[in-house]
Amino acid sequence: MHRGQSLGMAEKDMVLDQWKEVWYEGDLRPESIPGVVESSLEEGGLVRVITTRVSEAQERLELSNNRVLKIRNLELDEVLAFWIAGYAPVQWK
């Protein structure tokens, strides 16, 4: 629920398993990574992305010879903020 409207239903564990923050080295543009909803260039040339399709994102990064350095689970409140902003859970697409 947000402002009196239902945004839908999803199982919490499934949603949390899908939403990840990934840091990588390489020249792959974030726009070409599956499920990216946010990206930024960090210090030292690292790229940070938030994706709703982490398995596909990892595969794309590895196939294009980019090095994944870290993956972090998003907290529920972070996921809900994206959901409210219009990024629905991947199983709805």
Side-chain angles (χ1 to χ4, degrees), residues 45-82:
L46 295 180
V47 181
R48 180 190 67 85
V49 296
I50 294 179
T51 180
T52 61
R53 295 164 43 191
V54 70
S55 296
E56 294 170 56
Q58 279 185 277
E59 183 178 350
R60 175 78 52 87
L61 286 162
E62 290 167 6
L63 288 173
S64 58
N65 296 318
N66 290 263
R67 196 171 118 205
V68 174
L69 301 172
K70 181 178 176 182
I71 298 176
R72 179 183 79 88
N73 295 330
L74 293 184
E75 299 294 328
L76 184 58
D77 62 331
E78 294 172 296
V79 173
L80 290 175
F82 282 108

Side-chain angles (χ1 to χ4, degrees), residues 6-25:
S6 173
L7 298 176
M9 292 181 58
E11 188 198 307
K12 180 183 85 168
D13 291 338
M14 185 184 332
V15 170
L16 290 176
D17 285 344
Q18 294 170 349
W19 288 77
K20 305 287 184 185
E21 187 171 26
V22 179
W23 288 264
Y24 68 93
E25 286 181 324

